[in-house]
Amino acid sequence: MFESQIRKKTYLACSDFLEQTALSEPLQLMRRIIFLLGWGLFAGSLHAQVFTVDDLLGFTDFSSKRFDGYITKKGFVSSGHFLQSDSAIDTWDMIPPPTDSSKTFVHRRVSRFQSPRMIDFAYQTSSIAEAMATIKQMQSKGFTISDSNWNMQKPLLLQRKEWIVKAEVLKEDTLTYVELRWQKQHLPAAKKQFYVDDLLKFNSDEYLAAYFGRDNVRKDRFYFSAQEVNRCSVLFPNTPNQVVFVWDDNEAQKDILQIMVGAGMRTESVDGFDGVSANNMWRFASGITTHMRLEQILNSVDSDLYFFGKKVHSFFRLRLNQRSC
C-alpha cells in the first residue's frame, strides 16, 4: 500500500509539472525520459534484492573462510557466534551506510548453521517485497511450493531435487521479517545393489526424483480407503519393480509414512497392475524378498516378526514367531 501510494503521488506530480510547464517538445521528451529513469531507480530501491536465488544457493559452495570474505564484500558485518546443541551458528547483519540514514530501514541478516552432518543457511529480510520476489524467482527456476496461495500464516516449503527451502514470517520485538532457510541434501552414492532399506533415505518426492530421474517417479494418490487418501510417489510405475512412497506431509509431499513394494497398490495410476513378479529386484539387506514364505523369513531374520497394518484411522499389529508358524 505504501509503495503504491508513492507511485501514484509521484506520477501525478510529475504529470502536472510536464503539462503546466511550457516547454519545447524535445525538452519535454527529455524530461519524461529523466522522470522514467529516476522512477525506475526509485522503485528498484524499494524492491532491491541483495542476493539472487543463485547467490543464495551458492552459499553452500564456499568454505568458511571464503564465505566470510564474500559476505563482507556484500556489506554485511559479523554480528554473532554461538553454540546451540551440536550446531555452531554464525550471523552477519547488513549495516546501512550513513548516507542512507534517512531511508526506511530494512533488516537483513544471513545466518549459517553448522552441524557434524549438515550446513544450513538462512536469510532474513524485513522487506516483504524482496522476500516474495525471491520466492517467485525460485518458482521460475523449477522449485515446487507447498501452498500456491500462501498467506504467510504458516511456513511455506519450496523443493527442487536435493534442495529444500522453508519460508516463514517471524516476529522479534517490534520487527517483522521473512526468513528463508535452506539446505542441500547430498544424494547417495551410486550403488550396484540397492536394497529396500536404502529407500528410507529418500524422504521427499523431489529428492526421490533427483536421484532416479523424474521420468521414473510419478506423483500419485494412495487410497487407504474411500475416505482417507494420501499423496504418494510411485517409483518405476507399472513395472515389476514399482515402489510406492506414501507421504506423511501431504502438502509438501515429504516425510515417509509407508513404503510399499509389490502389487495390490491402491493408487490412481497403477490401478489394476499386478506388480508382483519373479524378477522383482527389491530385497532387504537381510535377504528378505517379496516372494519368500513366512517360514523362510523367520529363518532368515532369526527373530520374531511384527506386522503392522492400517485400517482407516487406526493401526493394528501382528506378532509372528516360530511357534505360531
Side-chain angles (χ1 to χ4, degrees):
M1 178 66 74
F2 169 73
E3 295 170 5
S4 63
Q5 289 177 349
I6 292 177
R7 290 192 184 97
K8 184 176 180 181
K9 291 179 179 178
T10 307
Y11 175 78
L12 291 175
C14 292
S15 297
D16 290 343
F17 175 79
L18 290 173
E19 289 177 2
Q20 294 173 11
T21 305
L23 299 171
S24 64
E25 284 190 10
L27 190 53
Q28 285 188 6
L29 180 60
M30 186 178 296
R31 287 282 181 99
R32 288 191 176 95
I33 293 173
I34 293 173
F35 162 69
L36 291 173
L37 289 173
W39 170 246
L41 293 173
F42 175 71
S45 67
L46 292 174
H47 298 84
Q49 284 181 259
V50 177
F51 300 105
T52 66
V53 170
D54 291 337
D55 290 337
L56 295 175
L57 300 184
F59 285 4
T60 59
D61 297 331
F62 286 97
S63 64
S64 295
K65 186 175 181 180
R66 286 183 59 226
F67 184 76
D68 290 347
Y70 168 78
I71 205 69
T72 300
K73 290 180 180 178
K74 283 286 188 177
F76 288 77
V77 296
S78 177
S79 57
H81 174 80
F82 55 97
L83 300 177
Q84 187 178 75
S85 186
D86 64 343
S87 297
I89 303 174
D90 294 279
T91 60
W92 295 264
D93 286 11
M94 174 173 270
I95 306 299
T99 55
D100 291 344
S101 59
S102 61
K103 294 184 179 180
T104 302
F105 171 74
V106 177
H107 164 80
R108 291 185 173 97
R109 172 176 293 171
V110 171
S111 303
R112 180 179 60 202
F113 306 82
Q114 296 186 86
S115 70
R117 301 179 305 276
M118 186 72 67
I119 297 180
D120 293 7
F121 283 92
Y123 177 60
Q124 298 174 356
T125 175
S126 58
S127 170
I128 302 298
E130 179 187 9
M132 295 306 295
T134 302
I135 291 172
K136 187 174 181 180
Q137 189 180 24
M138 285 184 173
Q139 288 181 264
S140 70
K141 288 182 172 290
F143 278 83
T144 61
I145 59 174
S146 59
D147 185 357
S148 58
N149 298 310
W150 188 44
N151 59 8
M152 301 187 182
Q153 297 302 308
K154 60 180 181 180
L156 175 73
L157 288 178
L158 300 97
Q159 298 178 85
R160 188 190 70 187
K161 296 184 177 180
E162 66 267 43
W163 291 100
I164 183 166
V165 182
K166 182 172 76 170
E168 62 181 326
V169 177
L170 301 174
K171 291 186 178 181
E172 187 176 326
D173 298 327
T174 60
L175 180 65
T176 300
Y177 55 88
V178 178
E179 179 180 85
L180 300 172
R181 182 165 176 170
W182 64 96
Q183 63 177 231
K184 183 180 183 180
Q185 298 175 289
H186 296 288
L187 293 173
K191 300 178 63 174
K192 291 184 178 180
Q193 177 65 54
F194 240 95
Y195 298 106
V196 175
D197 317 51
D198 297 318
L199 297 177
L200 293 171
K201 301 173 184 177
F202 301 97
N203 59 356
S204 73
D205 174 82
E206 284 290 328
Y207 193 43
L208 191 64
Y211 189 88
F212 292 99
R214 176 51 69 187
D215 291 342
N216 294 316
V217 179
R218 179 183 297 166
K219 296 183 180 182
D220 211 324
R221 285 181 170 82
F222 186 85
Y223 291 85
F224 288 108
S225 69
Q227 294 76 33
E228 187 173 5
V229 183
N230 276 61
R231 290 190 177 183
C232 68
S233 298
V234 185
L235 177 63
F236 305 128
N238 292 348
T239 72
N241 297 320
Q242 68 186 18
V243 181
V244 175
F245 291 72
V246 182
W247 305 117
D248 190 36
D249 188 331
N250 265 312
E251 292 183 350
Q253 299 181 64
K254 70 181 189 72
D255 302 332
I256 296 171
L257 178 64
Q258 291 186 22
I259 295 179
M260 286 169 279
V261 180
M265 308 299 187
R266 296 188 296 275
T267 64
E268 291 178 344
S269 65
V270 300
D271 185 34
F273 174 75
D274 185 1
V276 173
S277 172
N279 61 355
N280 187 299
M281 70 175 183
W282 294 109
R283 64 185 63 225
F284 286 89
S286 62
I288 294 177
T289 70
T290 57
H291 319 294
M292 294 179 70
R293 298 174 60 86
L294 289 177
E295 296 92 336
Q296 292 175 302
I297 296 176
L298 284 169
N299 290 332
S300 176
V301 298
D302 195 28
S303 63
D304 293 351
L305 295 179
Y306 294 89
F307 293 85
F308 296 85
K310 195 170 191 298
K311 185 177 181 181
V312 190
H313 296 288
S314 61
F315 284 86
F316 64 85
R317 178 178 176 181
L318 175 66
R319 180 178 179 181
L320 188 66
N321 53 36
Q322 294 282 5
R323 181 177 300 177
S324 60
C325 284

